[in-house]
Amino acid sequence: MNWVIAGLPLHPLLVHASVILIPLAALCTILTLVWPTARRRLGIVTPLLAFVALGATILTVEAGEALAEVITPTALSGAHVAIGGSVRFWIFGLFLVAAAQWVWFRYFGPGQKYAARIATPAIRTVLTVVLAVAVAVSAVGSVVSVVIVGDTGAQAVWAPVIGSTK
């Protein structure tokens, strides 16, 4: 695939979608967990948002890998490429957790269609805590990975221009 549009590489354009959508999906996933009103209002939007963020991230990484093949490699760009793909795994986890959370509260939450299928309150509590931990880990991991990868990308682009590195 040609990862250029109007002479511009797509990676720096697509990266903006990931940088906006991943923290937004993480925030919505956490809000859905802790705030019942947000859970009712957001509903299926949260896992759909995480899915769109996953798609944007996959495209961004692919465009970045194509860009890395045509630029002159530096230590900073090498570091960015080396860790850039890790965002895919975090956002994939966030999508899975957001979808599982939606299913859990939609069908197995108190008063829902299949709530009676959960044998005991202890099992319900354990499953809810496991889901909460998964939400926290995937949301924080996704945002942190985007920040770290974004920082290395910014350093790779701007450090040679302004003449400084961390």
Side-chain angles (χ1 to χ4, degrees), residues 36-135:
T37 302
R39 184 180 313 138
R40 284 189 302 276
R41 295 212 174 171
L42 291 171
I44 191 72
V45 170
T46 299
L48 290 177
L49 180 61
F51 182 72
V52 171
L54 174 62
T57 301
I58 290 169
L59 290 174
T60 301
V61 170
E62 291 296 320
E65 289 171 351
L67 179 61
E69 292 175 6
V70 298
I71 64 169
T72 303
T74 65
L76 291 172
S77 68
H80 180 65
V81 169
I83 65 171
S86 68
V87 178
R88 280 186 294 206
F89 302 108
W90 282 107
I91 188 60
F92 183 71
L94 182 64
F95 165 66
L96 290 179
V97 168
Q101 178 179 252
W102 177 77
V103 168
W104 176 252
F105 286 116
R106 173 87 169 130
Y107 295 106
F108 297 97
Q112 298 299 332
K113 187 175 185 178
Y114 299 111
R117 294 191 182 195
I118 306 300
T120 65
I123 292 173
R124 174 178 302 287
T125 301
V126 167
L127 292 173
T128 303
V129 168
V130 167
L131 183 61
V133 169
V135 165

Side-chain angles (χ1 to χ4, degrees), residues 1-20:
M1 181 174 179
N2 185 10
W3 293 98
V4 176
I5 187 165
L8 293 171
L10 277 176
H11 181 70
L13 302 173
L14 291 172
V15 76
H16 291 89
S18 294
V19 166
I20 298 296

